[in-house]
Amino acid sequence: MIFSSFIKKLHLWISGCGRIYKVISNFLPITALKRNSLLKIIKSLKTTRLGRLVQLVALLPLLALTFLPQPTFQDVVQDTTATGHGESPNRLRTVVLDAGHGGKDPGAMGRRSREARINLQLALLVGQKIKSQMPEVRVIYTRTTDRFIELAERSSIANRSKADLFISIHCNANPRSSRIYGTETYTMGLHKTEGNLEVAKRENAVILQEANYQQTYKGFNPDSPLAHIMLANYQHAFMGSSINFAQKVERSFRTNADRLSNGVKQAGFLVLWRTTMPSVLIESGYLTNPAEEQYLLSETGQDQISTAIVKAFRQYKQEIEAAN
């Protein structure tokens, strides 16, 4: 009763404090806040009971916000594909292909390769095959050359294009072992393992090369585990569709490219942060594994990986359009 009374008072205090409300809601939209999610965040932190109490006090303003009326945002759509073309709601007409890294950001480095170049080759191949096999689909690239594009701009391209699906293509790396290999596809969410967190931290660290990154990403610290936990609350509206497509990608890697699939995973990726459509980040293999690096550099490997992604895309498209 005491705690409930305190929360109600805190709720009234925050409701009357417009400036604080605006600052917090800019960092974590109200549509993404869930009481259960915040309590899970506290429980997931490895600390003492006293430490959890301190974390609870720190998160009380966010917890109080979950009691506020849910606002309606015009730029947030439901868990379906955005139309943007005046057509029926379940038509997949536009896909944005994002080749990770580029320019001054080479990404992961293999013995003979740099990630940014392989990502671009794969993205262009996927786009060419989609255009050839499904000419009704509009394909948009975040980059078509080896140039640097900020993470926030990549998601903005997808939003401006009213895309129905966002696919960010990457290669993985493990500096501690050259034996690890295989594919994995990520959606936005709460990381379950330290390995998932490390992948997200590595991919998000690129913002340190951007001008005014602290302002662009609301003070986000790519080295902070707690920052990634809070970031994971985004993309809630599109989680089901994102996981659905990610599962199809990993299944296609196994059946159509004969690759080891490490499964569908979740973590907080800034490139998926503000996309207003189903979005995934694909790790197509490990450049730190010599055999897999050679495969990803080869014409055969790139053809098989891109074909597997396109087959998953076709299956996803047919499934959502059949529900029309």
Side-chain angles (χ1 to χ4, degrees):
M1 292 295 293
I2 296 176
F3 180 77
S4 176
S5 176
F6 174 73
I7 287 294
K8 289 180 180 179
K9 290 180 181 178
L10 188 59
H11 163 219
L12 293 174
W13 177 76
I14 292 176
S15 299
C17 191
R19 292 181 64 185
I20 294 177
Y21 177 92
K22 183 177 181 181
V23 170
I24 296 177
S25 62
N26 278 342
F27 176 74
L28 193 65
I30 301 303
T31 54
L33 282 176
K34 302 290 181 182
R35 263 161 276 176
N36 290 339
S37 297
L38 290 174
L39 291 175
K40 285 180 180 179
I41 288 172
I42 296 168
K43 292 179 180 179
S44 68
L45 297 173
K46 296 181 179 179
T47 182
T48 63
R49 289 185 178 180
L50 178 60
R52 288 184 179 178
L53 179 60
V54 172
Q55 295 290 350
L56 175 61
V57 172
L59 290 174
L60 275 177
L62 292 176
L63 185 61
L65 284 175
T66 66
F67 289 86
L68 295 174
Q70 297 293 305
T72 301
F73 295 111
Q74 293 181 350
D75 61 337
V76 175
V77 296
Q78 298 300 313
D79 186 12
T80 183
T81 52
T83 58
H85 309 286
E87 300 183 13
S88 52
N90 287 342
R91 303 296 293 176
L92 202 165
R93 291 301 188 192
T94 303
V95 59
V96 170
L97 301 176
D98 171 47
H101 306 282
K104 64 181 180 180
D105 171 29
M109 302 293 289
R111 294 179 180 178
R112 302 175 46 221
S113 64
R114 59 173 59 192
E115 179 190 355
R117 292 176 180 173
I118 296 178
N119 295 343
L120 180 58
Q121 291 166 339
L122 289 173
L124 292 175
L125 278 173
V126 170
Q128 290 167 11
K129 292 176 180 180
I130 290 177
K131 289 179 181 179
S132 174
Q133 299 174 29
M134 292 162 274
E136 73 278 10
V137 176
R138 184 169 62 131
V139 176
I140 296 173
Y141 303 94
T142 58
R143 67 182 180 97
T144 55
T145 59
D146 186 22
R147 65 191 185 99
F148 180 77
I149 300 179
E150 296 183 352
L151 295 185
E153 175 58 17
R154 295 169 191 261
S155 57
S156 293
I157 290 171
N159 294 341
R160 291 195 301 267
S161 304
K162 293 180 169 40
D164 302 305
L165 184 64
F166 178 82
I167 306 174
S168 187
I169 299 176
H170 291 252
C171 297
N172 218 332
N174 190 313
R176 292 182 292 275
S177 174
S178 62
R179 296 183 179 181
I180 296 176
Y181 66 102
T183 67
E184 48 208 56
T185 301
Y186 284 87
T187 66
M188 196 70 168
L190 183 63
H191 62 269
K192 300 295 192 299
T193 69
E194 286 301 314
N196 293 9
L197 174 61
E198 289 304 314
V199 173
K201 288 170 67 175
R202 184 170 62 250
E203 299 292 0
N204 291 338
V206 64
I207 67 171
L208 300 178
Q209 300 187 45
E210 300 180 14
N212 303 318
Y213 76 90
Q214 289 183 325
Q215 180 178 356
T216 302
Y217 302 101
K218 313 294 184 184
F220 178 84
N221 178 2
D223 291 324
S224 167
L226 181 59
H228 285 84
I229 290 174
M230 302 304 295
L231 191 68
N233 278 276
Y234 282 87
Q235 272 279 307
H236 178 80
F238 314 103
M239 186 62 68
S241 293
S242 298
I243 292 176
N244 182 11
F245 177 65
Q247 290 173 334
K248 287 177 170 52
V249 171
E250 286 302 307
R251 190 180 305 117
S252 187
F253 280 147
R254 291 194 303 269
T255 58
N256 297 308
D258 195 27
R259 308 310 296 164
L260 171 69
S261 169
N262 294 317
V264 175
K265 302 182 179 181
Q266 293 183 330
F269 290 95
L270 283 171
V271 73
L272 307 180
W273 179 25
R274 292 175 174 171
T275 54
T276 56
M277 73 286 301
S279 304
V280 301
L281 185 147
I282 297 172
E283 297 282 9
S284 56
Y286 281 79
L287 296 183
T288 44
N289 180 289
E292 196 149 68
E293 178 191 22
Q294 181 61 36
Y295 174 80
L296 290 169
L297 279 170
S298 70
E299 183 177 339
T300 298
Q302 292 180 10
D303 179 66
Q304 289 180 347
I305 289 293
S306 59
T307 295
I309 295 173
V310 172
K311 286 186 175 181
F313 175 81
R314 178 192 291 277
Q315 184 182 8
Y316 175 77
K317 180 176 184 294
Q318 290 175 341
E319 182 179 292
I320 64 172
E321 292 183 350
N324 208 6

PDB file of all heavy atoms in Angstrom, residues 20-48:
ATOM      1  N   ILE A  20      10.633  17.336 -17.610  1.00  0.00           N
ATOM      2  CA  ILE A  20      11.218  16.040 -17.264  1.00  0.00           C
ATOM      3  C   ILE A  20      10.549  14.950 -18.078  1.00  0.00           C
ATOM      4  O   ILE A  20      11.202  14.045 -18.588  1.00  0.00           O
ATOM      5  CB  ILE A  20      11.077  15.753 -15.756  1.00  0.00           C
ATOM      6  CG1 ILE A  20      11.915  16.754 -14.971  1.00  0.00           C
ATOM      7  CG2 ILE A  20      11.482  14.334 -15.421  1.00  0.00           C
ATOM      8  CD1 ILE A  20      11.806  16.607 -13.470  1.00  0.00           C
ATOM      9  N   TYR A  21       9.229  15.042 -18.213  1.00  0.00           N
ATOM     10  CA  TYR A  21       8.480  14.055 -19.004  1.00  0.00           C
ATOM     11  C   TYR A  21       9.022  14.002 -20.428  1.00  0.00           C
ATOM     12  O   TYR A  21       9.231  12.932 -20.998  1.00  0.00           O
ATOM     13  CB  TYR A  21       7.009  14.457 -19.007  1.00  0.00           C
ATOM     14  CG  TYR A  21       6.120  13.572 -19.856  1.00  0.00           C
ATOM     15  CD1 TYR A  21       5.486  12.474 -19.291  1.00  0.00           C
ATOM     16  CD2 TYR A  21       5.910  13.848 -21.196  1.00  0.00           C
ATOM     17  CE1 TYR A  21       4.659  11.667 -20.050  1.00  0.00           C
ATOM     18  CE2 TYR A  21       5.103  13.051 -21.962  1.00  0.00           C
ATOM     19  CZ  TYR A  21       4.472  11.967 -21.382  1.00  0.00           C
ATOM     20  OH  TYR A  21       3.667  11.181 -22.141  1.00  0.00           O
ATOM     21  N   LYS A  22       9.294  15.180 -21.002  1.00  0.00           N
ATOM     22  CA  LYS A  22       9.760  15.241 -22.388  1.00  0.00           C
ATOM     23  C   LYS A  22      11.140  14.629 -22.534  1.00  0.00           C
ATOM     24  O   LYS A  22      11.412  13.884 -23.467  1.00  0.00           O
ATOM     25  CB  LYS A  22       9.783  16.694 -22.858  1.00  0.00           C
ATOM     26  CG  LYS A  22      10.193  16.842 -24.330  1.00  0.00           C
ATOM     27  CD  LYS A  22      10.132  18.298 -24.753  1.00  0.00           C
ATOM     28  CE  LYS A  22      10.521  18.445 -26.220  1.00  0.00           C
ATOM     29  NZ  LYS A  22      10.482  19.865 -26.642  1.00  0.00           N
ATOM     30  N   VAL A  23      12.025  14.932 -21.592  1.00  0.00           N
ATOM     31  CA  VAL A  23      13.391  14.397 -21.652  1.00  0.00           C
ATOM     32  C   VAL A  23      13.380  12.880 -21.592  1.00  0.00           C
ATOM     33  O   VAL A  23      14.014  12.195 -22.388  1.00  0.00           O
ATOM     34  CB  VAL A  23      14.254  14.963 -20.507  1.00  0.00           C
ATOM     35  CG1 VAL A  23      15.584  14.215 -20.419  1.00  0.00           C
ATOM     36  CG2 VAL A  23      14.510  16.451 -20.733  1.00  0.00           C
ATOM     37  N   ILE A  24      12.630  12.308 -20.612  1.00  0.00           N
ATOM     38  CA  ILE A  24      12.602  10.856 -20.448  1.00  0.00           C
ATOM     39  C   ILE A  24      11.919  10.198 -21.632  1.00  0.00           C
ATOM     40  O   ILE A  24      12.389   9.190 -22.157  1.00  0.00           O
ATOM     41  CB  ILE A  24      11.892  10.475 -19.136  1.00  0.00           C
ATOM     42  CG1 ILE A  24      12.691  11.010 -17.940  1.00  0.00           C
ATOM     43  CG2 ILE A  24      11.735   8.964 -19.019  1.00  0.00           C
ATOM     44  CD1 ILE A  24      12.031  10.757 -16.613  1.00  0.00           C
ATOM     45  N   SER A  25      10.809  10.762 -22.096  1.00  0.00           N
ATOM     46  CA  SER A  25      10.082  10.134 -23.194  1.00  0.00           C
ATOM     47  C   SER A  25      10.857  10.210 -24.498  1.00  0.00           C
ATOM     48  O   SER A  25      10.686   9.368 -25.377  1.00  0.00           O
ATOM     49  CB  SER A  25       8.698  10.779 -23.376  1.00  0.00           C
ATOM     50  OG  SER A  25       8.826  12.149 -23.698  1.00  0.00           O
ATOM     51  N   ASN A  26      11.737  11.218 -24.651  1.00  0.00           N
ATOM     52  CA  ASN A  26      12.592  11.274 -25.832  1.00  0.00           C
ATOM     53  C   ASN A  26      13.576  10.129 -25.843  1.00  0.00           C
ATOM     54  O   ASN A  26      13.942   9.611 -26.889  1.00  0.00           O
ATOM     55  CB  ASN A  26      13.359  12.595 -25.882  1.00  0.00           C
ATOM     56  CG  ASN A  26      12.524  13.715 -26.461  1.00  0.00           C
ATOM     57  OD1 ASN A  26      11.531  13.463 -27.119  1.00  0.00           O
ATOM     58  ND2 ASN A  26      12.924  14.948 -26.217  1.00  0.00           N
ATOM     59  N   PHE A  27      14.052   9.738 -24.657  1.00  0.00           N
ATOM     60  CA  PHE A  27      15.020   8.632 -24.590  1.00  0.00           C
ATOM     61  C   PHE A  27      14.336   7.285 -24.752  1.00  0.00           C
ATOM     62  O   PHE A  27      14.802   6.404 -25.441  1.00  0.00           O
ATOM     63  CB  PHE A  27      15.762   8.657 -23.251  1.00  0.00           C
ATOM     64  CG  PHE A  27      16.699   7.491 -23.087  1.00  0.00           C
ATOM     65  CD1 PHE A  27      17.890   7.461 -23.790  1.00  0.00           C
ATOM     66  CD2 PHE A  27      16.380   6.440 -22.252  1.00  0.00           C
ATOM     67  CE1 PHE A  27      18.760   6.407 -23.653  1.00  0.00           C
ATOM     68  CE2 PHE A  27      17.241   5.368 -22.114  1.00  0.00           C
ATOM     69  CZ  PHE A  27      18.437   5.357 -22.815  1.00  0.00           C
ATOM     70  N   LEU A  28      13.164   7.127 -24.140  1.00  0.00           N
ATOM     71  CA  LEU A  28      12.455   5.841 -24.185  1.00  0.00           C
ATOM     72  C   LEU A  28      10.973   6.104 -24.399  1.00  0.00           C
ATOM     73  O   LEU A  28      10.280   6.510 -23.490  1.00  0.00           O
ATOM     74  CB  LEU A  28      12.659   5.090 -22.867  1.00  0.00           C
ATOM     75  CG  LEU A  28      12.250   3.631 -22.849  1.00  0.00           C
ATOM     76  CD1 LEU A  28      13.124   2.820 -23.795  1.00  0.00           C
ATOM     77  CD2 LEU A  28      12.380   3.060 -21.438  1.00  0.00           C
ATOM     78  N   PRO A  29      10.446   5.932 -25.635  1.00  0.00           N
ATOM     79  CA  PRO A  29       9.062   6.275 -25.931  1.00  0.00           C
ATOM     80  C   PRO A  29       8.080   5.559 -25.010  1.00  0.00           C
ATOM     81  O   PRO A  29       8.290   4.424 -24.634  1.00  0.00           O
ATOM     82  CB  PRO A  29       8.897   5.776 -27.383  1.00  0.00           C
ATOM     83  CG  PRO A  29      10.274   5.738 -27.932  1.00  0.00           C
ATOM     84  CD  PRO A  29      11.155   5.395 -26.783  1.00  0.00           C
ATOM     85  N   ILE A  30       6.982   6.244 -24.712  1.00  0.00           N
ATOM     86  CA  ILE A  30       5.971   5.686 -23.817  1.00  0.00           C
ATOM     87  C   ILE A  30       5.388   4.407 -24.397  1.00  0.00           C
ATOM     88  O   ILE A  30       5.058   3.476 -23.669  1.00  0.00           O
ATOM     89  CB  ILE A  30       4.838   6.718 -23.595  1.00  0.00           C
ATOM     90  CG1 ILE A  30       5.414   8.004 -23.001  1.00  0.00           C
ATOM     91  CG2 ILE A  30       3.787   6.148 -22.663  1.00  0.00           C
ATOM     92  CD1 ILE A  30       6.151   7.814 -21.718  1.00  0.00           C
ATOM     93  N   THR A  31       5.271   4.335 -25.727  1.00  0.00           N
ATOM     94  CA  THR A  31       4.713   3.140 -26.346  1.00  0.00           C
ATOM     95  C   THR A  31       5.586   1.928 -26.109  1.00  0.00           C
ATOM     96  O   THR A  31       5.139   0.800 -26.260  1.00  0.00           O
ATOM     97  CB  THR A  31       4.556   3.340 -27.857  1.00  0.00           C
ATOM     98  OG1 THR A  31       5.814   3.755 -28.398  1.00  0.00           O
ATOM     99  CG2 THR A  31       3.501   4.364 -28.151  1.00  0.00           C
ATOM    100  N   ALA A  32       6.876   2.129 -25.751  1.00  0.00           N
ATOM    101  CA  ALA A  32       7.783   1.003 -25.536  1.00  0.00           C
ATOM    102  C   ALA A  32       7.873   0.611 -24.068  1.00  0.00           C
ATOM    103  O   ALA A  32       8.430  -0.418 -23.738  1.00  0.00           O
ATOM    104  CB  ALA A  32       9.182   1.350 -26.046  1.00  0.00           C
ATOM    105  N   LEU A  33       7.332   1.437 -23.173  1.00  0.00           N
ATOM    106  CA  LEU A  33       7.462   1.158 -21.743  1.00  0.00           C
ATOM    107  C   LEU A  33       6.441   0.138 -21.259  1.00  0.00           C
ATOM    108  O   LEU A  33       5.254   0.275 -21.518  1.00  0.00           O
ATOM    109  CB  LEU A  33       7.273   2.467 -20.947  1.00  0.00           C
ATOM    110  CG  LEU A  33       8.476   3.413 -20.912  1.00  0.00           C
ATOM    111  CD1 LEU A  33       8.086   4.680 -20.168  1.00  0.00           C
ATOM    112  CD2 LEU A  33       9.664   2.764 -20.233  1.00  0.00           C
ATOM    113  N   LYS A  34       6.914  -0.876 -20.581  1.00  0.00           N
ATOM    114  CA  LYS A  34       6.044  -1.886 -19.984  1.00  0.00           C
ATOM    115  C   LYS A  34       6.482  -2.093 -18.545  1.00  0.00           C
ATOM    116  O   LYS A  34       7.666  -2.233 -18.260  1.00  0.00           O
ATOM    117  CB  LYS A  34       6.157  -3.214 -20.741  1.00  0.00           C
ATOM    118  CG  LYS A  34       5.810  -3.101 -22.229  1.00  0.00           C
ATOM    119  CD  LYS A  34       4.330  -2.864 -22.431  1.00  0.00           C
ATOM    120  CE  LYS A  34       3.994  -2.778 -23.913  1.00  0.00           C
ATOM    121  NZ  LYS A  34       2.584  -2.511 -24.157  1.00  0.00           N
ATOM    122  N   ARG A  35       5.501  -2.114 -17.627  1.00  0.00           N
ATOM    123  CA  ARG A  35       5.851  -2.327 -16.228  1.00  0.00           C
ATOM    124  C   ARG A  35       6.625  -3.632 -16.037  1.00  0.00           C
ATOM    125  O   ARG A  35       7.641  -3.687 -15.371  1.00  0.00           O
ATOM    126  CB  ARG A  35       4.580  -2.344 -15.372  1.00  0.00           C
ATOM    127  CG  ARG A  35       4.277  -1.019 -14.724  1.00  0.00           C
ATOM    128  CD  ARG A  35       2.827  -0.945 -14.294  1.00  0.00           C
ATOM    129  NE  ARG A  35       1.979  -0.540 -15.399  1.00  0.00           N
ATOM    130  CZ  ARG A  35       0.661  -0.469 -15.327  1.00  0.00           C
ATOM    131  NH1 ARG A  35       0.046  -0.787 -14.231  1.00  0.00           N
ATOM    132  NH2 ARG A  35      -0.053  -0.077 -16.356  1.00  0.00           N
ATOM    133  N   ASN A  36       6.137  -4.698 -16.653  1.00  0.00           N
ATOM    134  CA  ASN A  36       6.804  -5.994 -16.497  1.00  0.00           C
ATOM    135  C   ASN A  36       8.211  -5.967 -17.059  1.00  0.00           C
ATOM    136  O   ASN A  36       9.122  -6.569 -16.512  1.00  0.00           O
ATOM    137  CB  ASN A  36       5.990  -7.090 -17.192  1.00  0.00           C
ATOM    138  CG  ASN A  36       4.691  -7.378 -16.468  1.00  0.00           C
ATOM    139  OD1 ASN A  36       4.565  -7.064 -15.291  1.00  0.00           O
ATOM    140  ND2 ASN A  36       3.737  -7.948 -17.180  1.00  0.00           N
ATOM    141  N   SER A  37       8.402  -5.239 -18.197  1.00  0.00           N
ATOM    142  CA  SER A  37       9.730  -5.177 -18.807  1.00  0.00           C
ATOM    143  C   SER A  37      10.714  -4.483 -17.884  1.00  0.00           C
ATOM    144  O   SER A  37      11.858  -4.916 -17.726  1.00  0.00           O
ATOM    145  CB  SER A  37       9.663  -4.425 -20.143  1.00  0.00           C
ATOM    146  OG  SER A  37       8.840  -5.119 -21.051  1.00  0.00           O
ATOM    147  N   LEU A  38      10.278  -3.392 -17.248  1.00  0.00           N
ATOM    148  CA  LEU A  38      11.179  -2.664 -16.359  1.00  0.00           C
ATOM    149  C   LEU A  38      11.528  -3.500 -15.141  1.00  0.00           C
ATOM    150  O   LEU A  38      12.673  -3.484 -14.671  1.00  0.00           O
ATOM    151  CB  LEU A  38      10.532  -1.342 -15.935  1.00  0.00           C
ATOM    152  CG  LEU A  38      10.419  -0.300 -17.055  1.00  0.00           C
ATOM    153  CD1 LEU A  38       9.640   0.912 -16.553  1.00  0.00           C
ATOM    154  CD2 LEU A  38      11.775   0.119 -17.564  1.00  0.00           C
ATOM    155  N   LEU A  39      10.550  -4.242 -14.615  1.00  0.00           N
ATOM    156  CA  LEU A  39      10.829  -5.102 -13.462  1.00  0.00           C
ATOM    157  C   LEU A  39      11.770  -6.238 -13.856  1.00  0.00           C
ATOM    158  O   LEU A  39      12.639  -6.634 -13.077  1.00  0.00           O
ATOM    159  CB  LEU A  39       9.516  -5.657 -12.903  1.00  0.00           C
ATOM    160  CG  LEU A  39       8.605  -4.606 -12.237  1.00  0.00           C
ATOM    161  CD1 LEU A  39       7.284  -5.227 -11.826  1.00  0.00           C
ATOM    162  CD2 LEU A  39       9.291  -3.980 -11.030  1.00  0.00           C
ATOM    163  N   LYS A  40      11.628  -6.749 -15.081  1.00  0.00           N
ATOM    164  CA  LYS A  40      12.535  -7.791 -15.553  1.00  0.00           C
ATOM    165  C   LYS A  40      13.954  -7.253 -15.679  1.00  0.00           C
ATOM    166  O   LYS A  40      14.932  -7.956 -15.432  1.00  0.00           O
ATOM    167  CB  LYS A  40      12.064  -8.335 -16.899  1.00  0.00           C
ATOM    168  CG  LYS A  40      10.850  -9.246 -16.797  1.00  0.00           C
ATOM    169  CD  LYS A  40      10.434  -9.747 -18.172  1.00  0.00           C
ATOM    170  CE  LYS A  40       9.221 -10.653 -18.070  1.00  0.00           C
ATOM    171  NZ  LYS A  40       8.773 -11.131 -19.411  1.00  0.00           N
ATOM    172  N   ILE A  41      14.068  -5.996 -16.115  1.00  0.00           N
ATOM    173  CA  ILE A  41      15.386  -5.380 -16.238  1.00  0.00           C
ATOM    174  C   ILE A  41      16.079  -5.356 -14.885  1.00  0.00           C
ATOM    175  O   ILE A  41      17.249  -5.711 -14.736  1.00  0.00           O
ATOM    176  CB  ILE A  41      15.261  -3.940 -16.797  1.00  0.00           C
ATOM    177  CG1 ILE A  41      14.890  -3.991 -18.283  1.00  0.00           C
ATOM    178  CG2 ILE A  41      16.573  -3.173 -16.610  1.00  0.00           C
ATOM    179  CD1 ILE A  41      14.563  -2.642 -18.858  1.00  0.00           C
ATOM    180  N   ILE A  42      15.328  -4.961 -13.852  1.00  0.00           N
ATOM    181  CA  ILE A  42      15.896  -4.888 -12.505  1.00  0.00           C
ATOM    182  C   ILE A  42      16.324  -6.268 -12.038  1.00  0.00           C
ATOM    183  O   ILE A  42      17.415  -6.458 -11.501  1.00  0.00           O
ATOM    184  CB  ILE A  42      14.870  -4.276 -11.526  1.00  0.00           C
ATOM    185  CG1 ILE A  42      14.556  -2.826 -11.928  1.00  0.00           C
ATOM    186  CG2 ILE A  42      15.405  -4.314 -10.093  1.00  0.00           C
ATOM    187  CD1 ILE A  42      13.370  -2.241 -11.223  1.00  0.00           C
ATOM    188  N   LYS A  43      15.456  -7.289 -12.259  1.00  0.00           N
ATOM    189  CA  LYS A  43      15.770  -8.645 -11.820  1.00  0.00           C
ATOM    190  C   LYS A  43      16.950  -9.229 -12.578  1.00  0.00           C
ATOM    191  O   LYS A  43      17.688 -10.054 -12.046  1.00  0.00           O
ATOM    192  CB  LYS A  43      14.540  -9.547 -11.995  1.00  0.00           C
ATOM    193  CG  LYS A  43      13.395  -9.207 -11.059  1.00  0.00           C
ATOM    194  CD  LYS A  43      12.204 -10.120 -11.308  1.00  0.00           C
ATOM    195  CE  LYS A  43      11.045  -9.777 -10.377  1.00  0.00           C
ATOM    196  NZ  LYS A  43       9.862 -10.638 -10.630  1.00  0.00           N
ATOM    197  N   SER A  44      17.131  -8.801 -13.850  1.00  0.00           N
ATOM    198  CA  SER A  44      18.199  -9.380 -14.658  1.00  0.00           C
ATOM    199  C   SER A  44      19.574  -8.858 -14.288  1.00  0.00           C
ATOM    200  O   SER A  44      20.588  -9.451 -14.646  1.00  0.00           O
ATOM    201  CB  SER A  44      17.950  -9.092 -16.142  1.00  0.00           C
ATOM    202  OG  SER A  44      18.103  -7.714 -16.405  1.00  0.00           O
ATOM    203  N   LEU A  45      19.629  -7.748 -13.573  1.00  0.00           N
ATOM    204  CA  LEU A  45      20.918  -7.177 -13.199  1.00  0.00           C
ATOM    205  C   LEU A  45      21.559  -8.019 -12.111  1.00  0.00           C
ATOM    206  O   LEU A  45      20.957  -8.318 -11.095  1.00  0.00           O
ATOM    207  CB  LEU A  45      20.735  -5.729 -12.712  1.00  0.00           C
ATOM    208  CG  LEU A  45      20.195  -4.759 -13.759  1.00  0.00           C
ATOM    209  CD1 LEU A  45      19.887  -3.415 -13.120  1.00  0.00           C
ATOM    210  CD2 LEU A  45      21.182  -4.590 -14.893  1.00  0.00           C
ATOM    211  N   LYS A  46      22.800  -8.441 -12.339  1.00  0.00           N
ATOM    212  CA  LYS A  46      23.509  -9.280 -11.380  1.00  0.00           C
ATOM    213  C   LYS A  46      24.083  -8.411 -10.266  1.00  0.00           C
ATOM    214  O   LYS A  46      25.150  -7.828 -10.377  1.00  0.00           O
ATOM    215  CB  LYS A  46      24.628 -10.047 -12.089  1.00  0.00           C
ATOM    216  CG  LYS A  46      24.109 -11.021 -13.136  1.00  0.00           C
ATOM    217  CD  LYS A  46      25.251 -11.764 -13.795  1.00  0.00           C
ATOM    218  CE  LYS A  46      24.716 -12.761 -14.816  1.00  0.00           C
ATOM    219  NZ  LYS A  46      25.818 -13.484 -15.491  1.00  0.00           N
ATOM    220  N   THR A  47      23.337  -8.299  -9.189  1.00  0.00           N
ATOM    221  CA  THR A  47      23.776  -7.455  -8.087  1.00  0.00           C
ATOM    222  C   THR A  47      23.111  -7.941  -6.803  1.00  0.00           C
ATOM    223  O   THR A  47      22.310  -8.862  -6.805  1.00  0.00           O
ATOM    224  CB  THR A  47      23.413  -5.974  -8.362  1.00  0.00           C
ATOM    225  OG1 THR A  47      23.912  -5.176  -7.285  1.00  0.00           O
ATOM    226  CG2 THR A  47      21.901  -5.793  -8.457  1.00  0.00           C
ATOM    227  N   THR A  48      23.437  -7.298  -5.693  1.00  0.00           N
ATOM    228  CA  THR A  48      22.872  -7.667  -4.403  1.00  0.00           C
ATOM    229  C   THR A  48      21.461  -7.112  -4.269  1.00  0.00           C
ATOM    230  O   THR A  48      21.002  -6.319  -5.096  1.00  0.00           O
ATOM    231  CB  THR A  48      23.744  -7.113  -3.273  1.00  0.00           C
ATOM    232  OG1 THR A  48      23.729  -5.680  -3.360  1.00  0.00           O
ATOM    233  CG2 THR A  48      25.176  -7.620  -3.396  1.00  0.00           C
TER     234      THR A  48
END
